[in-house]
Amino acid sequence: MIREHVAAVLPLLQAAPGNTPLVVLDGAVPSGQMPPYTLVYFADNDPEDRSLEDEQSRYVLWIYCHNVGGNADAARKVATRARAALLGVVPTVPGRSCWPIRREDGDPPERDESTGTLVMDQVDVYRLESVPAA
């Protein structure tokens, strides 16, 4: 079920408002990638051993957006674009009824100079919930 929900979220981020396309990376940053970009991780409440009757339950997908820029202002700008693309949007997931995407948590930009170049990473966590379509 995670694939279907991820497939609904990634295009929303890729279509984020702005003068240039938002670079959206799903789970990994390629070598040499320069900011700005949004690195996205997904997690869900769907354990592999879920029984068939649990198929009728509410599904929750957490969307972890690492909004990366060359400085704090740039990281905030990336985060603002990601927020505009996700917050309050009701995505389409085949066979599911979705609620609007909500912001769950977040952190201010943090410095990272581990590669020798300063980047700032602002993390925002969003939640998408769905139930089987009626």
Side-chain angles (χ1 to χ4, degrees):
M1 193 170 325
I2 192 170
R3 284 188 212 129
E4 294 85 355
H5 286 73
V6 168
V9 169
L10 285 175
L12 295 174
L13 284 167
Q14 292 162 341
N19 294 330
T20 59
L22 179 61
V23 176
V24 179
L25 306 172
D26 184 6
V29 179
S31 179
Q33 178 69 49
M34 298 300 294
Y37 58 84
T38 296
L39 172 62
V40 188
Y41 296 100
F42 298 93
D44 66 7
N45 69 332
D46 191 16
E48 292 180 31
D49 61 348
R50 197 162 80 153
S51 68
L52 289 176
E53 54 267 6
D54 286 339
E55 281 295 319
Q56 300 304 315
S57 66
R58 183 178 301 220
Y59 177 81
V60 180
L61 177 74
W62 287 276
I63 307 156
Y64 296 83
C65 293
H66 288 258
N67 304 292
V68 179
N71 58 42
D73 184 55
R76 286 189 297 268
K77 285 178 182 176
V78 175
T80 298
R81 291 184 68 192
R83 183 178 301 116
L86 296 177
L87 193 61
V89 173
V90 179
T92 300
V93 177
R96 307 292 295 180
S97 292
C98 297
W99 278 272
I101 296 172
R102 297 289 178 229
R103 185 174 180 273
E104 283 286 296
D105 198 6
D107 294 318
E110 285 191 25
R111 296 179 70 85
D112 181 353
E113 297 180 73
S114 62
T115 63
T117 302
L118 170 67
V119 295
M120 301 288 285
D121 177 10
Q122 178 174 325
V123 180
D124 289 305
V125 182
Y126 297 90
R127 181 186 77 243
L128 168 58
E129 294 186 52
S130 71
V131 293

